[in-house]
Amino acid sequence: MRISMVMLIFRKDWREIRRNWQILLPMVAIPFLISVVLPTLIIVIPGLSSTSTYPVEDATAMIRNLPSNVRQELAGMTPWQVLIYVMALYFFAPFFLIIPIMASSVIASDSFAGEKERKTIEALLATPISDSELLLGKALVSFVLAMTVTVASFAIYAIVIDFFSFPVFQGKLLFPNLSWTILILGVAPTVALTGIGLTIMISARAKGFREAQQISGILLLPVLMMIFGQISGVIVFGPIVLLALVAIFALVDLFVFYLGVKLFRRERILSRLP
């Protein structure tokens, strides 16, 4: 495999993505919603009201389904501290897996479907580059941008939470911690790669960007299941669970990219062009 050819595809796609607000806007809006708006509405604003009974009334109900080791961490905390601790460190965690899936799927949907709409697919497939180099170059630009957005969103989220929780916890910072480090640097990249591999395969067969993006939306279902599992207390994103997810998704990534190279056929893509 020639790295120079991979980087050639990467640079070409990067130049096209920078000018396409149809792709960039969702990559900014949704992470901002998850990293700033949601924690502000649920954690920060109720605490600014001296008459709010939200923390007192709901803290016990929120931790009822959590495992015993998590409940031990909450011993001795006030209801308001419990609310911030549980919401910030546990309940919001799976939402951050939406960001790499969403960001990578938006870019990967454009990988081949967008080329078809721009009438550049024939020239691309005619270049003297192997299938694996072409797919890796397409995947690399999606991965780099998705992880950039994910890490930046987490940094903003951590600053927001630490800023408002600092006086509540008498100078103790909630971030960074081990679980979130594994989540952002381990689970998020492997989840993103799974989404990228599957979306690129969809994009190669779709007629256009919108169609590819709509079909790739199905990839959010496993993440939504993890969100509901976390909220219900069925699973908790602790270090052991997160490391297990890294291993599982890493194996899935290897299978997806092996399958992608095997199923990729330039002739089939060209034959479906209008």
Side-chain angles (χ1 to χ4, degrees):
M1 181 179 293
R2 297 166 295 178
I3 299 300
S4 59
M5 294 294 102
V6 174
M7 295 307 299
L8 180 65
I9 298 297
F10 175 88
R11 288 191 293 269
K12 180 191 79 67
D13 280 14
W14 169 244
R15 287 193 296 268
E16 293 175 353
I17 289 170
R18 283 189 308 177
R19 300 190 294 265
N20 194 337
W21 282 100
Q22 184 183 25
I23 294 176
L24 294 178
L25 187 58
M27 293 180 59
V28 175
I30 296 178
F32 179 79
L33 175 69
I34 293 175
S35 61
V36 177
V37 177
L38 283 181
T40 300
L41 290 176
I42 297 176
I43 296 178
V44 177
I45 290 181
L48 298 180
S49 174
S50 59
T51 60
S52 174
T53 58
Y54 173 72
V56 177
E57 294 179 350
D58 293 337
T60 302
M62 291 175 57
I63 67 173
R64 187 174 299 154
N65 293 324
L66 292 175
S68 58
N69 63 311
V70 177
R71 293 198 298 268
Q72 290 174 3
E73 296 178 8
L74 308 178
M77 292 186 184
T78 66
W80 180 229
Q81 289 175 328
V82 168
L83 177 70
I84 294 179
Y85 193 88
V86 172
M87 293 293 290
L89 296 185
Y90 292 99
F91 283 93
F92 279 127
F95 283 91
F96 273 80
L97 296 182
I98 294 177
I99 297 176
I101 285 286
M102 178 277 303
S104 62
S105 66
V106 169
I107 304 169
S109 294
D110 186 70
S111 58
F112 290 104
E115 299 276 5
K116 295 175 186 177
E117 292 181 344
R118 293 187 292 269
K119 310 297 183 183
T120 57
I121 188 68
E122 293 183 2
L124 175 67
L125 297 179
T127 56
I129 184 172
S130 69
D131 291 346
S132 58
E133 291 166 348
L134 177 58
L135 291 173
L136 183 57
K138 291 286 188 181
L140 185 60
V141 68
S142 299
F143 179 77
V144 169
L145 288 176
M147 287 311 302
T148 299
V149 172
T150 301
V151 173
S153 299
F154 167 67
I156 294 171
Y157 174 77
I159 291 171
V160 170
I161 295 298
D162 278 342
F163 178 79
F164 287 103
S165 66
F166 187 81
V168 178
F169 287 88
Q170 290 80 45
K172 178 184 176 182
L173 296 178
L174 299 184
F175 290 100
N177 69 359
L178 178 60
S179 293
W180 276 80
T181 301
I182 298 173
L183 176 73
I184 300 300
L185 300 182
V187 181
T190 53
V191 166
L193 287 173
T194 299
I196 290 168
L198 293 173
T199 305
I200 286 177
M201 287 192 283
I202 294 170
S203 181
R205 289 161 174 76
K207 295 179 180 179
F209 169 75
R210 288 294 184 185
E211 180 183 348
Q213 190 176 17
Q214 289 172 357
I215 298 174
S216 65
I218 299 173
L219 300 176
L220 285 174
L221 289 178
V223 176
L224 293 177
M225 291 175 62
M226 285 189 279
I227 291 175
F228 291 129
Q230 175 91 326
I231 293 174
S232 63
V234 175
I235 60 172
V236 175
F237 277 23
I240 296 177
V241 171
L242 291 170
L243 288 174
L245 289 175
V246 172
I248 292 170
F249 278 107
L251 293 175
V252 173
D253 292 339
L254 293 175
F255 173 75
V256 167
F257 280 94
Y258 171 80
L259 186 64
V261 174
K262 286 292 183 182
L263 296 180
F264 185 75
R265 295 291 183 271
R266 300 186 187 210
E267 310 80 29
R268 186 179 301 172
I269 296 175
L270 292 171
S271 66
R272 294 182 177 179
L273 293 178

